[in-house]
Amino acid sequence: MSVVKKVVGAREETVEGKGVCGMKGTSVWRRALGMVAACVIVAAVAAPTASANFEFKEVGVSVHQPTGEFTRQAGAHPDFTFTYNAPTEPGNDNIPLESPRDIDLDLPPGLVGNPVPFPACSLSEFNSVKTGGWTECERNTQVGTVRFNNGNGVVYVGLYNLEHGSEVPARFGFSWQVYHATITPRVRPGDYGISAGSFEIGQALPAASEAEVTFWGIPASHEHDFERVAAGAPFFNPSGEVWNFLPLETTAPDVPFFYSPTYCPDTASTFTARGDSWEHPGIFDTRTFSTDAQGTPFAWEGCEVLPFKPTLIPVPGTHRAHSPTGLDVAIEVPSNEGPEGFMSSAIKKTVIVFPEGVTVSPSAVGGLEACSEAQAGLGNNEPPTCPDGSKIGNVQIKTQLQKNPLEGEVVLARQKENPFGSTYAAYLLAKGPGFYVKLASELNVDQKTGQLTVVFDNLPQLPFETAHFDFRGGPTSPLVTPDTCGNYSIRTEMYPWARPAEPVVANVPMVINENCAGGGTFNPSLQAGVANPVAGAQSPLTIRVRRQDGEQNLSRLEFTLPEGELASLKGVALCPDALAPSGNCPVASQVGIATTALGTGAFPLFVPQPGKAPTALYLAGPYEGAPYSLITTVPAQAGPFDFGNIVVRTAINLNPNTTQVIARSDPLPQILEGVPIAYRDVRIEVQKPDFTVNPTSCEQRYVTSTISSIEGAQAHPSVPFKVGDCASLNFKPKLALKLKGGTHRGDFPQLTATLTTGKKESNISWVSTTLPHSEFLEQGHIGTVCTRVQFAAKACPAASVYGYATAYTPLLERPLEGPVYLRSSNHTLPDLVAELNGQFDVELAGRIDSHNQGIRTTFETVPDAPVTKFVLRFKAGKKSLLVNSRNLCKAPAKATIRMIGQNGMRHDEQPPLETPCGKGKKKKPAKKKAK
């Protein structure tokens, strides 16, 4: 019994039928041929007496030996027969109810014919007729026979291999007198099985109610000598008598024409036949079946004996360490071209596992595009419409089934929008005659190591001899070699359809023995400067780090700006703390941009790419113990890939003694979506108007750095930094000293010092204040002194506080203020240290000594920072550090002030020591006299 699926128009039904065997005839040869003809039929239900459209009465296939016995041996070279019968008019078995128009058959994947080795009959020979109306095709072009009804009975004719153009993979034909018919095979998209049929069958044929088409497995086999047709002669005459009693030999090559599949699944293969009529074109009767006429399933067997000895040789384009490389991949599959033995198994799956260190190159995606599934046309035979920029390589496939190789290209698939839903995938698109081979390949990349595995799975069950892949080389090659030299190997795995669980595994050597020293060095360069190098000016600042290709990769960046190179934070919005980790900061907090070049070779990938919005640099609040931070939100978008944003945060702090800006980045990401990030060029540009302020000193200073590598090495490149035009800055600060409290000798007054500066002035570099002899240092009040260890730990005792200081600067929203300590010193007297706290912490240390018998305090290192007002208030009474040596009201006293600006200018003055003298109590109002 056989199960047949019947489709009539839109109606489909499954029916059961019984095979039909037997044919009249008496000769041994004719009985053998009759057995072949009869035993291939898979019966359907009997046709009704009247038909609304074309229907198959009987339809089936047979895979058999030339003697007629069926075979299911995988990879063998059997004969193949297709038979159909159509209902005929009542009382006349030779006249079909409807004239067949198209008869088509889908073969299961892997069941193929190979016309290439055989001579082909030209179309002129095929279409010509000799006397009697027969074709002129030579005997050596015959690859089978055709039996059909000529209106008076059954006739056999030769089936010939015909010449064909590039629009079809092959063409076969047969003729009866002046009637010529062709059979055209096609390669189905998707499963790459073969479909073959006759289309628009000529109505000139007297009758086509039944036909049987047989392709020979080995056309040169002597088993077919009695079935050959002399040029211009049919096999049987219309009366059914034999014309040729002697066997006919052929000069055709003794090689296989037909091949059984090389896959032995548990389920049977299926065939699908379709037919329509001239009376009802387009309304097909469709029958699907999986058994032959005897009910034997088409279940292939014997796959265990099929040979499979392929070789896969991947050859990188360079032997240099840490360099871009192309890749050539050559696959060879030895085939059995002789009539004996079995065909080599087709390749089901190919896996290439690259060694760790061979990774995808970011440089390769610059300018690259991607191809969608629709553009590739997966599942159809339409020409692909992938953009030119998606091409990453070429492919050439040589197959036994075609005279010319299939040429094509490998294109990059869209991220996530591919059959695997994966980040990386590619499509192989090769053009054949009348069809395309379109295969999807998954590129698996280890997320932690970047190790690359290429997988082609469910390859077509079609034989091929060689496949050659050529992936582009040069600076934008798709791969990068390992960082260090050594003997590596590429693992290859090839799985046969015949035995999918038994791969052929090989390890192909990959030697890296050039440019070996590059991976051990680490010598990054540093560039830094301002656009307008004028003292005290506001100017954009740029810092740039570059690493040579092949050196150890960057891991962390730390920069220390020169003294005086500061930023005006007043009025600048900060990225909210809730948004800072994601980098989705508001535009108002942007202070600059960043540019990064990634990859290997001469043309690294710049992010963002040209034409894209620049990478923003945002100002944010506290981070990693620093009061401020910079957030670099790098869009990980290059070519067709989009990995979101990479957020790198940099802590911003000040050196409390020099107010130098210290910027320390997070560890830089080293791998993203399995692609190692090789930093070649990191550029930071602080561009916000009126944000960055230059020093007021024209001395040469330096931008210094500590740059760390991924392997733990450190480099400390520095670059000179210098501004000019310092002489144009004024330097006339004012310092006022005021005493409050007792004015008599022995009193302990409170001293307040107020420093003010004007606009466009140089900042103070050095200042010394000497009090008049009217004020002595009261050493008896010097009690508790903060040690240096306590000060560094911010653990000074409260008793060591002797005053308070406040500094006002135009750079900050709020003044800096804090206690003034006496701190232990290497000198005779303790130092006077102001601990200023606020948006930043600053320490201002002064040395106390005696000069000309007067108390002198010298601040030898004053930060190059603008201060509009500085107020220093000492305590009075028992905590006062001063004692009056005389009555302050008897004579005025002056202090001696000496100051040096950052621009080198000096300013000395002797301001009077302001006292409360002359500011007695207010007189009481006179009492009114009584009237």
Side-chain angles (χ1 to χ4, degrees):
M1 302 293 290
S2 61
V3 177
V4 179
K5 185 176 292 185
K6 180 172 69 171
V7 178
V8 180
R11 185 177 81 255
E12 179 179 298
E13 58 185 81
T14 299
V15 298
E16 293 185 351
K18 133 175 108 166
V20 177
C21 287
M23 174 174 282
K24 294 180 180 181
T26 57
S27 70
V28 173
W29 174 81
R30 180 140 181 210
R31 287 197 303 272
L33 186 60
M35 184 184 300
V36 173
C39 293
V40 300
I41 301 174
V42 175
V45 293
T49 57
S51 175
N53 46 56
F54 181 84
E55 289 186 359
F56 289 113
K57 179 180 179 183
E58 297 168 346
V59 62
V61 298
S62 175
V63 180
H64 54 88
Q65 303 286 2
T67 55
E69 294 88 355
F70 83 87
T71 178
R72 296 293 184 266
Q73 173 62 52
H77 317 299
D79 290 358
F80 173 80
T81 300
F82 168 67
T83 303
Y84 82 87
N85 288 333
T88 56
E89 292 182 356
N92 190 342
D93 292 339
N94 294 325
I95 304 300
L97 289 176
E98 295 199 1
S99 301
R101 180 177 184 269
D102 303 310
I103 303 295
D104 197 17
L105 178 67
D106 293 342
L107 280 65
L111 191 63
V112 296
N114 179 15
V116 173
F118 301 97
C121 179
S122 69
L123 294 181
S124 60
E125 292 173 322
F126 176 68
N127 291 320
S128 298
V129 292
K130 289 184 176 181
T131 303
W134 312 116
T135 182
E136 295 182 2
C137 290
E138 295 295 331
R139 187 188 314 154
N140 60 4
T141 66
Q142 185 180 357
V143 292
T145 61
V146 177
R147 176 185 67 84
F148 63 92
N149 193 320
N150 71 345
N152 296 314
V154 175
V155 63
Y156 282 79
V157 295
L159 178 63
Y160 299 95
N161 181 32
L162 303 181
E163 289 183 344
H164 64 90
S166 61
E167 73 283 359
V168 294
R171 182 175 283 120
F172 308 98
F174 62 93
S175 66
W176 170 257
Q177 296 181 344
V178 296
Y179 173 78
H180 303 275
T182 59
I183 299 173
T184 304
R186 310 177 309 283
V187 178
R188 293 193 303 274
D191 67 359
Y192 298 98
I194 303 299
S195 296
S198 290
F199 304 101
E200 297 188 356
I201 297 171
Q203 298 183 71
L205 189 66
S209 60
E210 60 178 301
E212 176 186 276
V213 179
T214 298
F215 286 94
W216 294 331
I218 303 176
S221 172
H222 292 296
E223 297 284 348
H224 301 300
D225 287 351
F226 282 98
E227 303 170 72
R228 301 189 203 286
V229 178
F235 189 73
F236 286 115
N237 67 8
S239 65
E241 298 296 330
V242 178
W243 282 22
N244 297 310
F245 294 95
L246 297 178
L248 297 178
E249 295 186 349
T250 179
T251 60
D254 191 15
V255 296
F257 170 82
F258 217 76
Y259 300 89
S260 295
T262 60
Y263 179 44
C264 301
D266 295 333
T267 57
S269 298
T270 60
F271 294 80
T272 299
R274 290 175 297 276
D276 70 344
S277 67
W278 285 101
E279 289 79 2
H280 295 91
I283 302 178
F284 285 89
D285 183 12
T286 301
R287 306 293 179 94
T288 297
F289 42 90
S290 58
T291 66
D292 62 13
Q294 283 71 41
T296 305
F298 293 107
W300 314 107
E301 57 191 16
C303 281
E304 67 278 1
V305 302
L306 300 188
F308 185 68
K309 296 180 179 180
T311 58
L312 189 156
I313 303 177
V315 181
T318 184
H319 297 287
R320 291 173 56 86
H322 197 76
S323 299
T325 181
L327 182 69
D328 282 350
V329 177
I331 302 175
E332 295 186 1
V333 183
S335 59
N336 177 21
E337 299 297 339
E340 304 298 329
F342 303 115
M343 179 182 179
S344 177
S345 173
I347 298 177
K348 179 182 186 297
K349 181 179 179 180
T350 298
V351 179
I352 304 176
V353 183
F354 290 92
E356 286 194 28
V358 176
T359 59
V360 176
S361 172
S363 304
V365 302
L368 196 62
E369 299 178 84
C371 184
S372 68
E373 290 187 60
Q375 290 171 325
L378 299 183
N380 65 47
N381 267 328
E382 297 299 320
T385 58
C386 296
D388 293 339
S390 63
K391 180 179 176 180
I392 58 176
N394 298 310
V395 61
Q396 183 186 75
I397 302 173
K398 293 183 180 179
T399 171
Q400 303 94 313
L401 308 184
Q402 291 298 316
K403 185 174 296 186
N404 298 316
L406 279 61
E407 305 278 355
E409 57 192 24
V410 181
V411 300
L412 183 68
R414 283 189 181 175
Q415 174 188 356
K416 304 295 184 183
E417 299 177 16
N418 54 67
F420 314 102
S422 60
T423 299
Y424 310 103
Y427 300 132
L428 182 157
L429 308 173
K431 176 72 170 68
F435 67 94
Y436 283 88
V437 173
K438 300 178 180 181
L439 305 177
S441 169
E442 187 173 12
L443 310 180
N444 296 319
V445 180
D446 189 283
Q447 298 295 297
K448 294 182 179 179
T449 66
Q451 186 174 20
L452 177 65
T453 301
V454 181
V455 180
F456 278 98
D457 201 359
N458 289 315
L459 297 174
Q461 295 182 52
L462 297 174
F464 70 88
E465 297 171 294
T466 63
H468 180 251
F469 298 85
D470 176 18
F471 295 97
R472 68 186 185 192
T476 58
S477 298
L479 301 178
V480 178
T481 57
D483 291 345
T484 57
C485 289
N487 295 320
Y488 299 87
S489 64
I490 303 175
R491 178 182 173 89
T492 64
E493 302 171 3
M494 285 180 284
Y495 298 76
W497 276 102
R499 299 175 296 279
E502 301 177 16
V504 173
V505 179
N507 289 289
V508 182
M510 176 181 174
V511 179
I512 302 298
N513 55 11
E514 300 175 10
N515 193 39
C516 297
T521 62
F522 187 63
N523 188 29
S525 64
L526 174 68
Q527 292 177 323
V530 292
N532 181 25
V534 174
Q538 294 171 319
S539 174
L541 169 69
T542 299
I543 298 177
R544 185 179 186 184
V545 175
R546 289 191 290 181
R547 178 189 65 87
Q548 293 298 315
D549 196 12
E551 292 185 341
Q552 297 175 27
N553 199 27
L554 302 178
S555 172
R556 196 166 205 162
L557 307 177
E558 181 177 328
F559 307 108
T560 301
L561 300 185
E563 296 177 45
E565 188 64 26
L566 300 170
S568 177
L569 302 178
K570 191 173 184 178
V572 178
L574 299 181
C575 180
D577 292 341
L579 299 179
S582 66
N584 295 319
C585 299
V587 175
S589 63
Q590 183 176 348
V591 296
I593 61 173
T595 305
T596 306
L598 311 172
T600 58
F603 301 103
L605 171 70
F606 279 87
V607 179
Q609 292 183 267
K612 300 291 185 180
T615 300
L617 188 67
Y618 300 104
L619 183 66
Y623 183 68
E624 295 292 329
Y628 286 91
S629 59
L630 289 175
I631 295 175
T632 309
T633 306
V634 181
Q637 301 163 6
F641 295 106
D642 186 349
F643 300 135
N645 293 327
I646 301 174
V647 179
V648 178
R649 202 162 180 179
T650 301
I652 303 297
N653 215 332
L654 285 187
N655 182 312
N657 297 308
T658 65
T659 68
Q660 287 177 273
V661 175
I662 302 172
R664 179 176 172 81
S665 77
D666 284 340
L668 302 178
Q670 296 298 311
I671 192 166
L672 181 65
E673 294 287 337
V675 178
I677 305 174
Y679 296 94
R680 296 284 300 282
D681 192 331
V682 178
R683 190 180 312 173
I684 299 170
E685 300 176 60
V686 183
Q687 299 176 327
K688 185 176 179 64
D690 304 330
F691 182 72
T692 309
V693 181
N694 288 343
T696 59
S697 169
C698 289
E699 293 183 2
Q700 181 167 288
R701 293 171 174 173
Y702 292 87
V703 177
T704 62
S705 67
T706 297
I707 302 175
S708 303
S709 82
I710 190 62
E711 297 181 27
Q714 284 193 338
H716 304 277
S718 62
V719 290
F721 183 98
K722 190 174 183 179
V723 296
D725 202 20
C726 287
S728 64
L729 298 176
N730 295 322
F731 185 64
K732 294 181 179 181
K734 301 294 181 182
L735 179 61
L737 300 173
K738 182 179 180 181
L739 293 176
K740 185 178 180 181
T743 59
H744 298 286
R745 178 186 173 122
D747 288 342
F748 307 111
Q750 178 193 58
L751 174 64
T752 299
T754 302
L755 175 71
T756 57
T757 62
K759 294 182 178 180
K760 295 185 178 181
E761 282 194 357
S762 171
N763 301 324
I764 297 173
S765 172
W766 180 91
V767 59
S768 175
T769 302
T770 304
L771 295 178
H773 293 165
S774 62
E775 302 301 322
F776 287 167
L777 179 65
E778 179 51 68
Q779 297 194 38
H781 286 183
I782 299 177
T784 304
V785 175
C786 183
T787 67
R788 289 181 177 271
V789 174
Q790 289 172 326
F791 189 88
K794 296 187 178 297
C796 290
S800 63
V801 176
Y802 292 86
Y804 295 92
T806 304
Y808 299 85
T809 172
L811 304 182
L812 301 176
E813 296 280 0
R814 300 177 300 277
L816 303 179
E817 53 188 352
V820 176
Y821 299 97
L822 286 181
R823 187 180 69 184
S824 59
S825 170
N826 294 329
H827 307 112
T828 304
L829 296 174
D831 291 336
L832 186 70
V833 182
E835 183 184 71
L836 302 173
N837 303 310
Q839 292 171 258
F840 288 100
D841 294 339
V842 176
E843 299 171 10
L844 189 62
R847 175 185 175 188
I848 302 175
D849 65 357
S850 176
H851 180 69
N852 293 332
Q853 299 182 351
I855 303 171
R856 182 174 65 178
T857 303
T858 304
F859 293 89
E860 296 177 345
T861 302
V862 179
D864 191 356
V867 175
T868 55
K869 185 177 180 181
F870 181 80
V871 180
L872 180 60
R873 294 183 178 89
F874 292 96
K875 291 184 177 181
K878 294 181 179 181
K879 293 294 289 185
S880 174
L881 295 177
L882 300 178
V883 59
N884 295 335
S885 63
R886 63 175 176 84
N887 190 324
L888 301 181
C889 296
K890 287 184 177 182
K894 292 184 178 182
T896 299
I897 309 299
R898 294 178 180 176
M899 290 182 281
I900 301 176
Q902 294 283 350
N903 62 353
M905 291 184 178
R906 297 182 64 93
H907 177 71
D908 298 337
E909 61 178 356
Q910 289 185 313
L913 196 63
E914 184 180 345
T915 65
C917 297
K919 298 181 180 180
K921 296 181 180 180
K922 293 183 180 180
K923 294 183 179 180
K924 295 182 180 180
K927 294 183 179 180
K928 294 182 180 181
K929 294 181 178 181
K931 294 182 180 179

